[in-house]
PDB file of all heavy atoms in Angstrom:
ATOM      1  N   GLY L  81     -27.219  -7.147  83.459  1.00  0.00           N
ATOM      2  CA  GLY L  81     -27.075  -8.545  83.057  1.00  0.00           C
ATOM      3  C   GLY L  81     -28.407  -9.273  83.099  1.00  0.00           C
ATOM      4  O   GLY L  81     -29.365  -8.811  83.718  1.00  0.00           O
ATOM      5  N   TRP L  82     -28.458 -10.432  82.444  1.00  0.00           N
ATOM      6  CA  TRP L  82     -29.720 -11.177  82.320  1.00  0.00           C
ATOM      7  C   TRP L  82     -29.452 -12.664  82.522  1.00  0.00           C
ATOM      8  O   TRP L  82     -28.563 -13.227  81.875  1.00  0.00           O
ATOM      9  CB  TRP L  82     -30.291 -10.922  80.925  1.00  0.00           C
ATOM     10  CG  TRP L  82     -31.615 -11.552  80.611  1.00  0.00           C
ATOM     11  CD1 TRP L  82     -32.685 -11.694  81.435  1.00  0.00           C
ATOM     12  CD2 TRP L  82     -32.024 -12.091  79.338  1.00  0.00           C
ATOM     13  NE1 TRP L  82     -33.734 -12.283  80.768  1.00  0.00           N
ATOM     14  CE2 TRP L  82     -33.361 -12.530  79.483  1.00  0.00           C
ATOM     15  CE3 TRP L  82     -31.407 -12.220  78.102  1.00  0.00           C
ATOM     16  CZ2 TRP L  82     -34.067 -13.103  78.433  1.00  0.00           C
ATOM     17  CZ3 TRP L  82     -32.112 -12.786  77.054  1.00  0.00           C
ATOM     18  CH2 TRP L  82     -33.427 -13.219  77.210  1.00  0.00           C
ATOM     19  N   ILE L  83     -30.206 -13.255  83.434  1.00  0.00           N
ATOM     20  CA  ILE L  83     -30.194 -14.713  83.579  1.00  0.00           C
ATOM     21  C   ILE L  83     -31.593 -15.167  83.178  1.00  0.00           C
ATOM     22  O   ILE L  83     -32.533 -15.043  83.963  1.00  0.00           O
ATOM     23  CB  ILE L  83     -29.846 -15.126  85.029  1.00  0.00           C
ATOM     24  CG1 ILE L  83     -28.438 -14.607  85.381  1.00  0.00           C
ATOM     25  CG2 ILE L  83     -29.895 -16.639  85.174  1.00  0.00           C
ATOM     26  CD1 ILE L  83     -28.065 -14.778  86.835  1.00  0.00           C
ATOM     27  N   PRO L  84     -31.737 -15.653  81.955  1.00  0.00           N
ATOM     28  CA  PRO L  84     -33.089 -15.855  81.419  1.00  0.00           C
ATOM     29  C   PRO L  84     -33.779 -17.090  81.966  1.00  0.00           C
ATOM     30  O   PRO L  84     -33.142 -17.993  82.515  1.00  0.00           O
ATOM     31  CB  PRO L  84     -32.848 -15.991  79.911  1.00  0.00           C
ATOM     32  CG  PRO L  84     -31.449 -16.457  79.783  1.00  0.00           C
ATOM     33  CD  PRO L  84     -30.690 -15.937  80.972  1.00  0.00           C
ATOM     34  N   GLU L  85     -35.074 -17.104  81.770  1.00  0.00           N
ATOM     35  CA  GLU L  85     -35.944 -18.141  82.315  1.00  0.00           C
ATOM     36  C   GLU L  85     -35.549 -19.544  81.838  1.00  0.00           C
ATOM     37  O   GLU L  85     -35.477 -20.470  82.626  1.00  0.00           O
ATOM     38  CB  GLU L  85     -37.384 -17.827  81.891  1.00  0.00           C
ATOM     39  CG  GLU L  85     -38.410 -18.804  82.384  1.00  0.00           C
ATOM     40  CD  GLU L  85     -39.809 -18.425  81.902  1.00  0.00           C
ATOM     41  OE1 GLU L  85     -39.937 -17.575  81.002  1.00  0.00           O
ATOM     42  OE2 GLU L  85     -40.772 -18.993  82.436  1.00  0.00           O
ATOM     43  N   ASP L  86     -35.306 -19.676  80.545  1.00  0.00           N
ATOM     44  CA  ASP L  86     -35.056 -21.014  80.004  1.00  0.00           C
ATOM     45  C   ASP L  86     -33.556 -21.264  79.811  1.00  0.00           C
ATOM     46  O   ASP L  86     -33.160 -21.986  78.912  1.00  0.00           O
ATOM     47  CB  ASP L  86     -35.838 -21.223  78.701  1.00  0.00           C
ATOM     48  CG  ASP L  86     -35.840 -19.975  77.847  1.00  0.00           C
ATOM     49  OD1 ASP L  86     -35.133 -19.013  78.222  1.00  0.00           O
ATOM     50  OD2 ASP L  86     -36.520 -19.935  76.818  1.00  0.00           O
ATOM     51  N   ARG L  87     -32.751 -20.616  80.632  1.00  0.00           N
ATOM     52  CA  ARG L  87     -31.283 -20.786  80.703  1.00  0.00           C
ATOM     53  C   ARG L  87     -30.563 -20.229  79.501  1.00  0.00           C
ATOM     54  O   ARG L  87     -29.633 -19.488  79.611  1.00  0.00           O
ATOM     55  CB  ARG L  87     -30.899 -22.255  80.922  1.00  0.00           C
ATOM     56  CG  ARG L  87     -31.386 -22.760  82.269  1.00  0.00           C
ATOM     57  CD  ARG L  87     -31.629 -24.222  82.274  1.00  0.00           C
ATOM     58  NE  ARG L  87     -32.422 -24.610  83.444  1.00  0.00           N
ATOM     59  CZ  ARG L  87     -33.084 -25.738  83.537  1.00  0.00           C
ATOM     60  NH1 ARG L  87     -33.042 -26.619  82.560  1.00  0.00           N
ATOM     61  NH2 ARG L  87     -33.789 -25.998  84.605  1.00  0.00           N
ATOM     62  N   ARG L  88     -30.962 -20.662  78.340  1.00  0.00           N
ATOM     63  CA  ARG L  88     -30.391 -20.162  77.084  1.00  0.00           C
ATOM     64  C   ARG L  88     -28.863 -20.162  77.093  1.00  0.00           C
ATOM     65  O   ARG L  88     -28.224 -19.190  76.696  1.00  0.00           O
ATOM     66  CB  ARG L  88     -30.971 -18.781  76.745  1.00  0.00           C
ATOM     67  CG  ARG L  88     -32.457 -18.891  76.496  1.00  0.00           C
ATOM     68  CD  ARG L  88     -33.136 -17.600  76.193  1.00  0.00           C
ATOM     69  NE  ARG L  88     -32.822 -17.071  74.882  1.00  0.00           N
ATOM     70  CZ  ARG L  88     -33.537 -16.110  74.300  1.00  0.00           C
ATOM     71  NH1 ARG L  88     -34.588 -15.609  74.920  1.00  0.00           N
ATOM     72  NH2 ARG L  88     -33.201 -15.655  73.131  1.00  0.00           N
ATOM     73  N   ILE L  89     -28.324 -21.261  77.578  1.00  0.00           N
ATOM     74  CA  ILE L  89     -26.878 -21.434  77.450  1.00  0.00           C
ATOM     75  C   ILE L  89     -26.575 -21.738  75.984  1.00  0.00           C
ATOM     76  O   ILE L  89     -27.453 -22.156  75.237  1.00  0.00           O
ATOM     77  CB  ILE L  89     -26.379 -22.580  78.350  1.00  0.00           C
ATOM     78  CG1 ILE L  89     -27.202 -23.838  78.047  1.00  0.00           C
ATOM     79  CG2 ILE L  89     -26.468 -22.210  79.812  1.00  0.00           C
ATOM     80  CD1 ILE L  89     -26.478 -25.085  78.310  1.00  0.00           C
ATOM     81  N   PHE L  90     -25.343 -21.507  75.571  1.00  0.00           N
ATOM     82  CA  PHE L  90     -24.947 -21.832  74.198  1.00  0.00           C
ATOM     83  C   PHE L  90     -24.542 -23.305  74.186  1.00  0.00           C
ATOM     84  O   PHE L  90     -23.437 -23.660  74.604  1.00  0.00           O
ATOM     85  CB  PHE L  90     -23.812 -20.928  73.741  1.00  0.00           C
ATOM     86  CG  PHE L  90     -24.172 -19.477  73.798  1.00  0.00           C
ATOM     87  CD1 PHE L  90     -23.587 -18.625  74.730  1.00  0.00           C
ATOM     88  CD2 PHE L  90     -25.111 -18.944  72.931  1.00  0.00           C
ATOM     89  CE1 PHE L  90     -23.930 -17.288  74.794  1.00  0.00           C
ATOM     90  CE2 PHE L  90     -25.464 -17.599  72.983  1.00  0.00           C
ATOM     91  CZ  PHE L  90     -24.871 -16.780  73.919  1.00  0.00           C
ATOM     92  N   SER L  91     -25.441 -24.156  73.692  1.00  0.00           N
ATOM     93  CA  SER L  91     -25.272 -25.602  73.877  1.00  0.00           C
ATOM     94  C   SER L  91     -24.081 -26.155  73.104  1.00  0.00           C
ATOM     95  O   SER L  91     -23.511 -27.169  73.495  1.00  0.00           O
ATOM     96  CB  SER L  91     -26.546 -26.331  73.462  1.00  0.00           C
ATOM     97  OG  SER L  91     -26.821 -26.083  72.099  1.00  0.00           O
ATOM     98  N   GLN L  92     -23.703 -25.491  72.000  1.00  0.00           N
ATOM     99  CA  GLN L  92     -22.589 -26.024  71.207  1.00  0.00           C
ATOM    100  C   GLN L  92     -21.241 -25.425  71.603  1.00  0.00           C
ATOM    101  O   GLN L  92     -20.212 -25.773  71.035  1.00  0.00           O
ATOM    102  CB  GLN L  92     -22.853 -25.794  69.719  1.00  0.00           C
ATOM    103  CG  GLN L  92     -24.036 -26.634  69.227  1.00  0.00           C
ATOM    104  CD  GLN L  92     -24.433 -26.326  67.814  1.00  0.00           C
ATOM    105  OE1 GLN L  92     -23.593 -26.156  66.947  1.00  0.00           O
ATOM    106  NE2 GLN L  92     -25.724 -26.243  67.560  1.00  0.00           N
ATOM    107  N   LEU L  93     -21.256 -24.533  72.579  1.00  0.00           N
ATOM    108  CA  LEU L  93     -20.011 -24.021  73.150  1.00  0.00           C
ATOM    109  C   LEU L  93     -19.694 -24.827  74.409  1.00  0.00           C
ATOM    110  O   LEU L  93     -20.592 -25.358  75.047  1.00  0.00           O
ATOM    111  CB  LEU L  93     -20.155 -22.540  73.517  1.00  0.00           C
ATOM    112  CG  LEU L  93     -19.791 -21.486  72.470  1.00  0.00           C
ATOM    113  CD1 LEU L  93     -20.528 -21.715  71.169  1.00  0.00           C
ATOM    114  CD2 LEU L  93     -20.088 -20.080  72.992  1.00  0.00           C
ATOM    115  N   THR L  94     -18.422 -24.905  74.747  1.00  0.00           N
ATOM    116  CA  THR L  94     -18.075 -25.619  75.978  1.00  0.00           C
ATOM    117  C   THR L  94     -18.518 -24.784  77.189  1.00  0.00           C
ATOM    118  O   THR L  94     -18.864 -23.604  77.053  1.00  0.00           O
ATOM    119  CB  THR L  94     -16.562 -25.864  76.084  1.00  0.00           C
ATOM    120  OG1 THR L  94     -15.916 -24.592  76.189  1.00  0.00           O
ATOM    121  CG2 THR L  94     -16.025 -26.614  74.876  1.00  0.00           C
ATOM    122  N   VAL L  95     -18.459 -25.429  78.348  1.00  0.00           N
ATOM    123  CA  VAL L  95     -18.804 -24.727  79.591  1.00  0.00           C
ATOM    124  C   VAL L  95     -17.903 -23.492  79.748  1.00  0.00           C
ATOM    125  O   VAL L  95     -18.379 -22.388  80.029  1.00  0.00           O
ATOM    126  CB  VAL L  95     -18.641 -25.688  80.785  1.00  0.00           C
ATOM    127  CG1 VAL L  95     -18.710 -24.938  82.106  1.00  0.00           C
ATOM    128  CG2 VAL L  95     -19.714 -26.776  80.737  1.00  0.00           C
TER     129      VAL L  95
END
Side-chain angles (χ1 to χ4, degrees):
Chain L
W82 182 38
I83 299 172
E85 180 181 13
D86 39 6
R87 295 153 195 161
R88 296 178 72 164
I89 53 152
F90 302 110
S91 61
Q92 293 173 42
L93 269 54
T94 65
V95 168

